[in-house]
Amino acid sequence: MLQIRPEDIEKKSFEILTSKMDEERLKFYSADELLVVKRAIHTTADFDYQYNVIFQNNAIESLKHCIQSDSMIFTDTNMALSGINKRILTGKFCITPHCLISETDTIEYAKKNNTTRATASVDLAYQMCDKKQGSNNEKKVPIVFAVGNAPTALIRINELLYKYKPDFIIAAPVGFVNVIEAKELIKQSNIPAIICDGNKGGSNVCAAIINAVLLQMV
């Protein structure tokens, strides 16, 4: 059994997972992209992520720019919200991420419109952004969606592209119903995105992706 100091456990974990990765995949990604892929593997212990993470339209630099530009970040679950590194995101960049899925307004909106709470939360997220932009002398407010559970959130984002175009999307819902189809919509949109292709993903993966980028910025 390895005797490792607590502060060295993560470093050793990354050394081990790197040694077990496909050498061709290590060469496939850029250095910054590889850090994201490795953190997804580290979070899940699932090496399939070395094959299914798609970086679309200069994804890493686009997300960094959003973070540096006082973006509004919305997750589709409180689990993803809890997993984001607030020490960096809020402490360094003064951004407070949001999850509207359990808010009273979201629940009432979903009931009124006979839709899912994830769909309703996208609509209400855009309303929040409109208010912030209006109070900020019309300055463009970058919008980031981190979706790890609800494909209906991605579907709603796509439906509203005629009116709203988010600046970045993490498309990582997990499951079997409309998951692959919803991710395909994001691929076709050509919006800067990090997409976990196929059925895999999850709230923990969403948070891990954001954290992997945040750690590159400190």
Side-chain angles (χ1 to χ4, degrees):
M1 185 178 295
L2 295 173
Q3 297 297 319
I4 304 174
R5 296 180 302 173
E7 61 270 26
D8 292 334
I9 291 174
E10 183 175 285
K11 178 181 177 182
K12 186 62 178 177
S13 293
F14 275 87
E15 289 175 357
I16 292 170
L17 76 84
T18 300
S19 72
K20 293 179 178 293
M21 287 182 67
D22 183 336
E23 289 187 7
E24 291 303 314
R25 301 309 289 179
L26 290 171
K27 300 173 186 176
F28 178 81
Y29 296 106
S30 72
D32 288 348
E33 291 171 348
L34 190 58
L35 292 173
V36 173
V37 172
K38 286 183 178 181
R39 193 153 290 273
I41 295 171
H42 179 260
T43 298
T44 60
D46 186 343
F47 284 89
D48 282 354
Y49 283 98
Q50 67 185 307
Y51 302 107
N52 74 358
V53 181
I54 297 170
F55 296 88
Q56 177 169 290
N57 201 358
N58 199 25
I60 300 292
E61 290 306 313
S62 294
L63 182 52
K64 287 180 180 179
H65 177 73
C66 287
I67 292 168
Q68 291 166 340
S69 303
D70 193 28
S71 63
M72 295 191 74
I73 298 176
F74 297 93
T75 68
D76 68 326
T77 65
N78 284 305
M79 181 179 174
L81 183 70
S82 298
I84 295 172
N85 190 323
K86 312 300 191 306
R87 177 183 62 82
I88 302 176
L89 185 62
T90 306
K92 179 177 175 61
F93 296 102
C94 300
I95 294 175
T96 300
H98 303 276
C99 179
L100 306 180
I101 198 74
S102 298
E103 296 294 319
T104 301
D105 287 350
T106 304
I107 296 169
E108 291 178 352
Y109 187 100
K111 287 181 179 178
K112 180 181 178 181
N113 293 280
N114 192 30
T115 189
T116 67
R117 284 192 287 160
T119 296
S121 68
V122 171
D123 287 9
L124 295 177
Y126 281 130
Q127 290 180 23
M128 283 182 63
C129 292
D130 284 344
K131 289 178 182 178
K132 181 174 181 179
Q133 184 165 318
S135 64
N136 201 23
N137 297 320
E138 305 306 320
K139 179 182 177 182
K140 175 71 167 66
V141 178
I143 303 169
V144 175
F145 284 106
V147 180
N149 183 69
T152 53
L154 296 182
I155 293 167
R156 186 57 175 163
I157 291 167
N158 182 73
E159 288 173 346
L160 292 175
L161 286 179
Y162 74 94
K163 183 177 182 181
Y164 297 106
K165 186 175 181 180
D167 297 85
F168 194 86
I169 302 170
I170 296 173
V174 59
F176 300 96
V177 179
N178 288 332
V179 166
I180 293 174
E181 294 84 353
K183 292 174 182 178
E184 192 63 35
L185 294 174
I186 303 307
K187 291 183 201 175
Q188 294 172 4
S189 75
N190 203 36
I191 292 168
I194 297 175
I195 303 163
C196 294
D197 211 13
N199 300 103
K200 293 186 177 183
S203 298
N204 57 337
V205 175
C206 262
I209 288 170
I210 293 175
N211 291 342
V213 175
L214 286 172
L215 288 166
Q216 296 177 32
M217 301 175 70
V218 295

